[in-house]
């Protein structure tokens, strides 16, 4: 069944698929089994799918880590702390952040 805009609409138990949407690239599919993920042969397609799937997470990570570095830099300069202390604080903050956040994931199977 199609809508006036040309979208494929739900029919019985079928999932709605729009022409601009890639099947299997939705974040809700993260918990699906490995066998249900699409097999992508091309490295370029795998990279594009990976970046498209994790785009929001990458952006948030870059923004938060950049903010942490700027904050630590400002505090270190304000209080006149030694440079080694600044680098230690930045390193520990990034390690803690990476340990507490969920990792990026692959939305595909690789033939490798």
């Amino acid at each position: 069944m199609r809508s006036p805009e040309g979208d494929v609409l739900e029919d019985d138990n079928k999932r709605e698929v729009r022409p601009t949407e890639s099947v299997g690239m939705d974040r809700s599919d993260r918990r699906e089994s490995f066998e249900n993920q699409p097999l992508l042969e091309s490295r370029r397609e795998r990279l594009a799918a990976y970046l498209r799937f994790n785009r929001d997470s990458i952006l948030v990570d870059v923004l938060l880590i950049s903010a942490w570095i700027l904050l630590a830099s400002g505090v270190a300069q304000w209080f006149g702390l030694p440079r080694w202390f600044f680098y230690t604080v930045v390193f520990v903050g990034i390690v803690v952040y990476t340990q507490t956040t969920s990792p990026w994931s692959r939305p595909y199977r690789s033939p490798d």
Side-chain angles (χ1 to χ4, degrees), residues 5-22:
E5 293 83 28
D7 297 337
V8 177
L9 300 177
E10 288 188 35
D11 187 25
D12 298 330
N13 293 331
K14 295 179 184 173
R15 180 177 173 270
E16 178 180 337
V17 178
R18 299 191 184 278
T20 58
E21 176 182 32
S22 297

Side-chain angles (χ1 to χ4, degrees), residues 22-34:
S22 297
V23 176
M25 298 299 155
D26 185 19
R27 284 194 174 277
S28 64
D29 294 339
R30 280 185 182 227
R31 302 208 191 281
E32 284 190 20
S33 68
F34 184 72

Side-chain angles (χ1 to χ4, degrees), residues 86-101:
F86 163 72
Y87 287 124
T88 303
V89 168
V90 168
F91 180 74
V92 168
I94 291 173
V95 168
V96 168
Y97 178 75
T98 57
Q99 294 297 316
T100 58
T101 58

Side-chain angles (χ1 to χ4, degrees), residues 52-75:
R52 185 173 44 248
F53 188 73
N54 293 299
R55 170 182 38 217
D56 297 336
S57 298
I58 293 170
L59 181 63
V60 167
D61 290 347
V62 167
L63 290 174
L64 288 176
I65 290 174
S66 297
W68 173 250
I69 292 171
L70 288 173
L71 177 70
S73 175
V75 169

